[in-house]
Amino acid sequence: MAEKAKRAVKLPESGQWPDRVAPIALGVGGLLLVIGFLMAFLYASPVNGAAVSEPVLVGDQMVTNVQLLSQKIFYFHMPVALVSFVALAFAGYYGVRFLMTKEQRFDTCTSICMEIALLFVVCTMITGEMWTRFEWGLWWTWDPRLTTYLILMIIVIAYFILRNAIDDPERRATYASVIAIIALVDVPICYMVTRVIPSSIHPVVLREGGMTGDMGMTVGVVMLGMTLLGFALYRMRFRQVRLTQRVEAIKEQLED
């Protein structure tokens, strides 16, 4: 019983400063996203996107650069993808920490980071497919960036399938940490693939200097909003999970 009490004491107290800041971050992030939405439609000039000088074969169709809603989707697609990478980076980091220490707290952090990553990965795929449809005229093509990011999404989904398939807490946390690290390894591959494979039709906006000042400012506002939103969701979910764990620990003590 003493050992269980010690384990309960290790659980963090509620009301830590990130938990108090999280609602503010959520509100500010939502406000910035609204401002970014308005800037995308009313302030920023068109995005060059996957500009082509002549029709190219994409999938089985010859398409040209049609800048309809794709120029607006870009302002949200790029930030949400970068936030998904950040969430996966933290998940991989906490996965390594768990494998080194076997502390439950790091497994909890990994799991929540992967939950946030899944949310932003799905949003990235949705906005990416919308961009592809409006920019290239088709819903899917086996472009290297799209393919590697699809693999990343499958790895993230596999993480949760694995967690639900294993009952033993320590084995579940160990295997899940390995999957989180594998997902992290795929992140730089997704990011660099368009730079490594010149034939990729996916635009490389930062390298090619395709953004003007107003575009960069709009992306920056949306990026900050997405980051604050991801942080707020993480802290709120973390607080919920840890409070649940504290309640379970207290129940065990009372039962003993």
Side-chain angles (χ1 to χ4, degrees):
M1 180 173 179
E3 182 181 350
K4 292 182 179 179
K6 289 181 180 178
R7 186 169 64 247
V9 172
K10 292 182 180 179
L11 296 177
E13 297 292 339
S14 61
Q16 295 177 312
W17 73 265
D19 297 329
R20 295 192 293 269
V21 171
I24 300 175
L26 182 63
V28 174
L31 178 61
L32 288 175
L33 291 178
V34 173
I35 294 175
F37 180 84
L38 295 176
M39 291 176 67
F41 281 89
L42 303 177
Y43 172 70
S45 55
V47 176
N48 290 334
V52 292
S53 58
E54 58 185 13
V56 295
L57 183 64
V58 179
D60 297 327
Q61 301 182 34
M62 297 296 295
V63 300
T64 58
N65 186 44
V66 182
Q67 296 175 343
L68 299 174
L69 290 179
S70 59
Q71 61 183 335
K72 311 303 178 184
I73 295 170
F74 162 80
Y75 294 112
F76 297 89
H77 174 67
M78 178 181 172
V80 80
L82 292 178
V83 173
S84 73
F85 289 157
V86 172
L88 290 169
F90 277 103
Y93 166 75
Y94 287 125
V96 172
R97 292 296 303 275
F98 175 81
L99 294 177
M100 294 174 61
T101 64
K102 300 299 182 179
E103 292 186 16
Q104 182 193 44
R105 181 178 185 276
F106 293 124
D107 176 56
T108 301
C109 292
T110 303
S111 175
I112 297 172
C113 284
M114 291 297 283
E115 290 178 5
I116 303 301
L118 177 61
L119 172 63
F120 282 90
V121 164
V122 171
C123 289
T124 301
M125 290 297 295
I126 292 174
T127 55
E129 289 309 299
M130 293 173 62
W131 190 93
T132 302
R133 177 65 180 86
F134 290 116
E135 185 76 11
W136 295 333
L138 54 147
W139 286 108
W140 179 262
T141 179
W142 293 102
D143 173 72
R145 171 67 64 82
L146 273 64
T147 303
T148 53
Y149 202 86
L150 175 63
I151 295 173
L152 180 64
M153 184 175 71
I154 293 173
I155 294 174
V156 174
I157 294 174
Y159 174 90
F160 294 101
I161 295 176
L162 183 93
R163 287 194 73 93
N164 292 326
I166 301 177
D167 295 327
D168 181 68
E170 186 170 346
R171 287 181 60 240
R172 177 176 63 230
T174 300
Y175 293 156
S177 296
V178 173
I179 297 295
I181 295 171
I182 293 175
L184 175 59
V185 171
D186 194 36
V187 167
I189 297 176
C190 292
Y191 183 78
M192 296 298 298
V193 66
T194 54
R195 293 159 174 80
V196 175
I197 304 179
S199 62
S200 174
I201 58 177
H202 197 286
V204 186
V205 178
L206 296 180
R207 185 185 68 187
E208 296 173 353
M211 289 195 297
T212 59
D214 53 349
M215 298 178 191
M217 185 177 297
T218 303
V219 170
V221 170
V222 177
M223 184 69 209
L224 181 57
M226 288 291 183
T227 303
L228 291 174
L229 178 63
F231 167 78
L233 292 176
Y234 171 81
R235 286 308 309 185
M236 290 178 175
R237 177 61 173 157
F238 180 81
R239 182 173 183 270
Q240 176 192 7
V241 172
R242 294 303 273 176
L243 286 175
T244 301
Q245 292 174 350
R246 288 181 62 81
V247 170
E248 292 298 325
I250 293 173
K251 286 182 179 179
E252 290 181 7
Q253 293 179 24
L254 294 177
E255 289 176 358
D256 291 340

